[in-house]
Each structure stands twice: as C-alpha cells, then as structure tokens.
Amino acid sequence: MTRTRRVFTLLILASLCAASAWAIERFPPPEFETDYVMKETTVPGPRAEWRQAVDVTVLFAALCAASWLVLKKRSRRGVFVLMLFCLVYFGFWRKGCVCSIGAIGNVCLSIFNAEYAAPWYVVAFFFLPLVFTLFFGRTFCAGVCPLGAIQDAVLLRPLQLPAWLESALRLMAWLYLSLAVLFAATASAFIICRYDPFIAFFRFGANPAMWVVSIAMLVIAVFVGRPYCRFLCPYGVLLRQVGRVSKFRVTITPDECIQCRLCEDACPFGAIDKPTVEWPQKEYVRGRQRLLILIGCVPLFIAGGAWIGWKVAPKLATAHPTVALAERVKLEQAGVFTDRIDASKAFYSSGKLLEELYAENDEKQTQFAVGSAMVGGWMGLVAVISLLRHSIFWKRSDYEAHRAGCVACGRCYNYCPRHRKWKENKALL
Amino acid sequence: MAQQNPDNLNRRKFLREGLFGGTLAMLGAAAAAISAKGRKTEYVWQIDPYKCIGCGNCATHCVLNESAVKCVHTYAMCGYCDLCTGYFVPEPKALDTAAENQLCPTGAIIRTFVEDPYFEYTIDEPLCIGCGKCVVGCAAFGNGSLFLQVRHDRCVNCNECAIAAACPSQAFKRVPADQPYLLKDGQ
Ligand code: SF4
Ligand code: SF4
Ligand code: SF4
Ligand code: SF4
C-alpha cells in the first residue's frame, strides 16, 4: 500500500517535470529475456473501395428505373416499390451515408477549401440526381431518396396547406441551403448531416435531442406530405429550380386534360396547379402596382438581409470550433470564467500560442462577416422574389403538375379518367 | 381550352429549351470543375492521438450505440509496467486484476504476465467503449502507448462524424481511406 503510494507520488512529480504530457518515454521498453513476441497494433480497414462503385451503380440504376416508372410506365405502384427498395438500400443498409443532400457539404468544402477534394463517388451522388431531374423531373425524390421515402411511406392523412403558408415555409429550405453552404465553405460544420432528421431511424441511434426532432418530423409527415422535402430539404431547393426547366416531366393525364377536376385535390404536396381564370381588370391593375412597388423594394430587401446577416455573423461564427475556442479562451483570459472546459484545457496543453489562436479566430470572423452578409442579402432577394411571384398573372389552361413542386410520386395518375382509359387500352394490347 | 398565340408558344418553347441547354451546360461545367480537383479515393475519419485529450466524448457521441472508437495499443512504446497507470486506478488496493483496482469501467484491458517484472496489456475490443480513461492514465504517468482510434471495421463513415463535431481538442480529421489510421509510433 505505502509502496504504491510512494510510487504514485514519484510518478506525479515526474510527470510535472515533463514539458509535454504526451508520449513521454518514462519507462524504456523492456528487453525481454523470454521468447515473448511483441504484438502488432491491428488496423482493420474501412469498406472496400469497389463498394462505392456499387452504390453509384445502384443510384444510377434506381434513377433510370424511377424515371421510366414515372414517365413511361405511369405506375404509382412501381414507384412505391422502388422507393421502398431504396429506403432499405440507401437508408437502412447504407445507413443514410453518403446521400445526395449531404453531398452539398462535400461539394462546397471542395470548392472553398484548398486541402479537401470531394471523392469521385460523392460528386456522382451530388450531380446524378440533378442531371436526371433536368431531363425527367424530380424522379429522384419520388423513388430514390431515402429521406423522401421514409416520409412518403408514413403519409396517411394528408392535409392541404394554403398556398401562402406553403411558399412562406419554403423560405426555410432556402435559408437552410444558404447556411449549409456558409458552414461548409468555412469548414465549420456539415449541418445537413448533423441535423439530418431521419438518420436516427436509419442507424437506430442518435442523441436524445435528435431523437425528439426525428420522431416529431415523422409524426408531422403522417399529416403533412413530406414536410422535410417541401420546407427544409436544401437539395430539394436545387432540384426545384432544375425541375423548372426539365425536358420531360409528370403530366397528370397521358394525353389531354378534360377539365373533370377529379385530380384537383389528389396531390398531397400541393403541387397541382389549377387552370387560371383571367384576372379581373381591377385586380390586374392592382397586381401590377404591387409588382412595381416590390421591384422598387428589391434593393431594400437585399440591403436589409445583408445587414441582418452581418449582424448575426459573430453568432454564426461560433459554429466553427476554433472560433468557439478562441472566444472561450478570451473570456478565461479576461477572468470572466475561472474554470476551464475540455476545449481550453486541450488548447493550453497543446502548446499553441494565444496569438496564433486569436489570428485564426480573426480570419474566420472575417470570412463569416462576409459570407453571412452575402447569405443575408441573398435571402432578401429570395424572399422578395417569392413575394413577386404572387403579383404576376400566370396563364394556365389545364390542371398541371407544378414543375418545381411535383416530386413525381405518381399519386395523381389514378385520379385521372384519361389515365385509367390509357391503362385499360394498354392492358388490352 | 383558351386560345394560345402560336407565336407566343414558339417563343416559350424556345426559351425553355435555351434554359434547359444552359442548365445542362452549367451542371456539366460544375461537375467537371469539381472533379478536376480530383480525389479518386475516399476519406475516412481518424483521431490524431497527439491531439486527443481522452475527454470521454468518443464513448457517448458516436452515432452507433457502441462507439466505433476503441482503445488501441502500440506495444513497442509500452513499458510493460507492473504498475500500469492505464490499467490501475490511482492508489490501487493491490496490483491485481480485481475490478475495484481497474481503471477501465468495463474491464476491457487484459493484463498478462510476461516475465518478471513485466506485464503485457491488451485491449479486449468488444468490451472497450472508447471512454479514454486508460488513455489519460497512460499518458499522464506512463509512456502514452494506449490511445484512441476510430476502428474502421465498425465505423459507418458518416459524412460528418458526430464525435468530430463534439471533440473539444479538434483531434478528428479526414484521412485518405488507404491510410486509415494515425498510430502512435513512439518516435
Ligand atoms: S426533396 Fe429532398 S428529401 Fe425530399 S425526396 Fe427530394 S431530395 Fe429527398
Ligand atoms: S405526381 Fe401528382 S400527386 Fe405526385 S407530386 Fe406530382 S402532382 Fe403531386
Ligand atoms: S478505459 Fe475506456 S478506452 Fe480504455 S480500454 Fe477501457 S473502455 Fe476502452
Ligand atoms: S464517423 Fe460516425 S460511426 Fe464513425 S466514429 Fe464518427 S460518429 Fe461514429
């Protein structure tokens, strides 16, 4: 007992004398006399590289299948089965990583960071669905995306949301995308991955807060069709814009719209546009006035957004670990905090100089001030454009799936009598 | 159906096709630019053992219920001490394998007698939870031959490692998948 205590005291003294606490050879490795063979540290390797190629191939095949099922076969059931397969493969089997949504982070980091280059298959995950959407509409969302799938699978009691609410909520997705770009570009965080609300299910694991978010999201998805897709998904924002100019797309009817209105409420995602009646002269004039006023306000919105962005920049910057550390250390130095947290302990024991840390902090703060102001200005522009759109008269003669909003699920097909006719004819052939 | 001006229709079609082509070109250019930076192989997450302070987050923050981070041992650095400060709690009652004397909460370190006065310490990986207690003990008073590593047979390689996000010493980094470990080498 006393012997061990003495040894311990000695050891403590010895370690206090040591300059750095790490990897000090206090006890030279022994020269063994017996024939003891020293073990090697084992290094089990990661997943074999070729498996990435398999993932990309499955992605490509699934995209082809989804596009074919939606546009050519016009089969909701087919899409649904494919969707379940992809949910199991990309979600539960591949544990939700890597996904096209999260790949936004890798692509941005790759663009803005000299040391990082996104691996080829992540680049493929990012671009393939965009290219397919450009040709065929958002068939990726319908049949391939595991996040879309898990929401789609639980949608039992869809509610219709008013259009104004829909477009207001959609701004959240724009904000999420902009922030994701900002945080990835400054090498602070991949927030899309960090706050992925469905990964908890795919891996059966998450921290308690994320479990709450995940379960809440899934419950909402029972009543509101694909809430993540419509109001949060940052990749969905990109897909929407690409979808606007897609070559082919979902048409509710295989040939002509007979204005039967049967599909009117078919879409649980609010993506069916009704034919428009001519605006009455009075409203038209008012709409035009509003449009002019809003256009006049564009610079105001941008400036206002940029100002807000600039104001919140220091707060956002703390997402970067170095900034958070530097701010903490500053306060410790100033005596505001007398205790030390793990991060500051690690900093002090690393032997890094205060000046170095502060310099890094300043650099990040500048990056954030600029980036955050840009995000703010951009969001101002997005907001004003989404307002503008309500003051423009869009001419439409038929019931149509909205180019951006339609996730190509194929639910509306069976509501359309022309589609049913088409199917019967096809069955006869 | 409302009458459409054919001129108008044509113009619209032309515009749409232009936008389609433009977007396609843009996507192509972006994809080319990003792949030009060229990384063929994957990144995986790893802990820089010289930065790790053994805070314990590795045990609790991994998305897997049983952390992918485990303790590993560079035997060549080890002193094979009888009184291993990675193995024993401070001031142990006796230098034996009784649970009360062990630092490891799960008893994941196997102590085997080699020859007088040396003992070998091996990690029983399935038991290790990656809490880093032994790492801190070993680094404080021993040679620092015990340290934490992401074990790639377990890690699902999250795009953003949840532990990295919680690591106070910024010890996690992306390393090329063909060199997936950052082992201490005693140099
Ligand atoms: S909107 Fe986003 S989450 Fe939804 S299906 Fe599309 S990519 Fe997936
Ligand atoms: S396919 Fe039809 S039901 Fe499905 S999202 Fe598009 S418009 Fe809505
Ligand atoms: S003390 Fe913690 S890190 Fe060390 S072997 Fe035990 S469980 Fe693993
Ligand atoms: S990458 Fe994911 S699985 Fe691997 S150690 Fe980090 S959190 Fe755990």
Side-chain angles (χ1 to χ4, degrees):
Chain A
M1 256 316 283
T2 40
R3 190 186 70 114
T4 47
R5 190 162 299 158
R6 227 186 358 253
V7 174
F8 254 95
T9 330
L10 268 178
L11 285 175
I12 291 169
L13 281 175
S15 77
L16 286 179
C17 299
S20 155
W22 303 112
I24 291 293
E25 205 172 83
R26 302 191 177 93
F27 310 98
E31 312 262 325
F32 293 108
E33 277 152 24
T34 51
D35 51 1
Y36 167 76
V37 191
M38 197 177 275
K39 285 185 181 150
E40 285 285 320
T41 316
T42 56
V43 283
R47 244 170 127 251
E49 291 274 351
W50 59 266
R51 301 249 216 133
Q52 267 71 269
V54 172
D55 288 347
V56 173
T57 314
V58 174
L59 174 71
F60 183 79
L63 283 168
C64 291
S67 305
W68 179 74
L69 286 169
V70 171
L71 298 184
K72 212 67 220 169
K73 193 97 195 303
R74 296 178 62 87
S75 158
R76 166 70 191 153
R77 186 171 304 151
V79 177
F80 191 74
V81 171
L82 176 68
M83 181 188 96
L84 291 184
F85 164 77
C86 287
L87 175 60
V88 171
Y89 185 85
F90 292 112
F92 294 103
W93 166 246
R94 292 294 299 115
K95 306 264 186 269
C97 256
V98 63
C99 82
S100 305
I101 313 172
I104 294 175
N106 306 60
V107 167
C108 288
L109 187 63
S110 197
I111 293 172
F112 289 96
N113 190 298
E115 285 135 55
Y116 180 83
W120 71 273
Y121 75 96
V122 178
V123 176
F125 262 80
F126 181 76
F127 281 106
L128 275 178
L130 287 172
V131 171
F132 267 82
T133 301
L134 182 58
F135 279 92
F136 307 114
R138 293 169 66 182
T139 51
F140 168 75
C141 296
V144 187
C145 176
L147 282 77
I150 195 168
Q151 299 168 78
D152 205 297
V154 298
L155 175 57
L156 297 174
R157 298 238 173 294
L159 303 169
Q160 298 284 350
L161 300 184
W164 62 267
L165 184 61
E166 177 114 21
S167 63
L169 289 175
R170 209 148 49 220
L171 288 179
M172 294 197 304
W174 276 103
L175 184 62
Y176 196 15
L177 172 65
S178 314
L179 289 178
V181 171
L182 176 66
F183 287 133
T186 53
S188 309
F190 281 6
I191 54 170
I192 299 173
C193 301
R194 196 175 293 184
Y195 302 114
D196 182 333
F198 302 108
I199 211 95
F201 302 108
F202 297 154
R203 297 190 179 136
F204 295 113
N207 59 43
M210 271 326 284
W211 266 122
V212 173
V213 173
S214 306
I215 291 171
M217 197 63 133
L218 209 59
V219 171
I220 295 174
V222 175
F223 303 103
V224 179
R226 296 189 179 226
Y228 182 80
C229 297
R230 280 150 83 197
F231 309 130
L232 287 169
C233 180
Y235 196 63
V237 172
L238 302 180
L239 293 174
R240 284 178 64 88
Q241 312 320 315
V242 174
R244 287 182 204 281
V245 295
S246 72
K247 183 134 211 133
F248 308 101
R249 59 163 169 158
V250 164
T251 52
I252 304 169
T253 150
D255 33 44
E256 57 169 342
C257 176
I258 52 171
Q259 314 275 338
C260 65
R261 301 182 51 191
L262 287 175
C263 66
E264 203 169 47
D265 296 318
C267 182
F269 315 117
I272 293 183
D273 284 333
K274 300 178 178 55
T276 45
V277 276
E278 287 288 345
W279 281 12
Q281 191 59 25
K282 216 164 99 207
E283 200 160 323
Y284 192 75
V285 172
R286 215 182 301 142
R288 165 127 326 159
Q289 268 168 3
R290 213 168 36 210
L291 191 65
L292 285 177
I293 294 173
L294 280 173
I295 289 177
C297 287
V298 168
L300 225 64
F301 270 81
I302 296 178
W307 185 78
I308 295 174
W310 185 69
K311 275 285 170 208
V312 299
K315 264 253 149 347
L316 296 182
T318 55
H320 194 283
T322 305
V323 174
L325 172 65
E327 296 302 323
R328 171 78 195 194
V329 167
K330 259 187 212 164
L331 293 176
E332 283 178 13
Q333 292 291 325
V336 179
F337 292 115
T338 44
D339 58 326
R340 288 185 178 175
I341 57 170
D342 279 345
S344 53
K345 278 187 214 154
F347 166 72
Y348 289 120
S349 71
S350 72
K352 197 161 142 179
L353 295 175
L354 269 180
E355 292 73 47
E356 256 179 282
L357 178 69
Y358 290 164
E360 277 173 31
N361 181 26
D362 289 343
E363 191 191 332
K364 277 289 159 209
Q365 294 280 8
T366 321
Q367 280 178 13
F368 264 95
V370 176
S372 172
M374 275 161 65
V375 164
W378 170 248
M379 280 309 296
L381 184 65
V382 169
V384 77
I385 288 178
S386 97
L387 284 176
L388 276 180
R389 279 222 300 269
H390 291 285
S391 309
I392 299 175
F393 176 71
W394 304 93
K395 205 169 189 172
R396 223 177 355 255
S397 46
D398 297 330
Y399 286 86
E400 276 176 32
H402 190 270
R403 281 182 165 270
C406 169
V407 294
C409 71
R411 277 190 179 80
C412 53
Y413 290 164
N414 278 331
Y415 287 81
C416 178
R418 296 295 306 168
H419 169 83
R420 290 203 293 269
K421 186 108 199 151
W422 170 87
K423 220 162 72 181
E424 273 163 32
N425 287 344
K426 221 174 64 159
L428 284 180
L429 280 175
Chain B
M1 247 193 250
Q3 274 299 317
Q4 292 270 17
N5 181 348
D7 246 16
N8 237 340
L9 263 185
N10 268 337
R11 205 174 306 142
R12 227 189 254 185
K13 208 173 143 219
F14 185 72
L15 186 69
R16 201 172 279 292
E17 262 164 25
L19 283 172
F20 168 82
T23 314
L24 188 61
M26 244 163 56
L27 282 179
I34 287 163
S35 353
K37 215 171 164 192
R39 171 146 212 119
K40 285 279 170 293
T41 140
E42 186 177 7
Y43 289 97
V44 293
W45 291 97
Q46 196 46 273
I47 300 172
D48 180 345
Y50 294 104
K51 281 190 172 174
C52 166
I53 57 164
C55 68
N57 280 355
C58 281
T60 49
H61 281 72
C62 182
V63 295
L64 302 173
N65 287 328
E66 184 198 332
S67 179
V69 172
K70 304 270 178 185
C71 179
V72 299
H73 201 180
T74 294
Y75 296 89
M77 284 174 71
C78 181
Y80 288 81
C81 322
D82 183 6
L83 173 59
C84 166
T85 51
Y87 185 82
F88 290 112
V89 293
E91 306 189 12
K93 291 220 174 77
L95 295 185
D96 61 20
T97 55
E100 54 168 1
N101 297 326
Q102 289 187 34
L103 198 55
C104 179
T106 60
I109 307 180
I110 305 163
R111 167 177 153 104
T112 353
F113 176 72
V114 181
E115 62 183 53
D116 199 44
Y118 301 128
F119 286 83
E120 182 198 62
Y121 298 93
T122 316
I123 311 297
D124 184 358
E125 270 193 30
L127 285 182
C128 173
I129 55 167
C131 69
K133 289 206 167 76
C134 60
V135 174
V136 175
C138 178
F141 308 121
N143 287 357
S145 58
L146 291 172
F147 54 96
L148 296 176
Q149 288 283 283
V150 174
R151 301 304 268 169
H152 291 296
D153 49 344
R154 299 190 38 79
C155 177
V156 296
N157 196 17
C158 312
N159 204 24
E160 180 183 69
C161 172
I163 314 175
C167 175
S169 55
Q170 298 183 43
F172 274 76
K173 52 176 164 191
R174 293 186 176 88
V175 297
D178 41 17
Q179 292 153 339
Y181 288 88
L182 298 168
L183 300 179
K184 281 190 172 181
D185 51 9
Q187 304 306 310

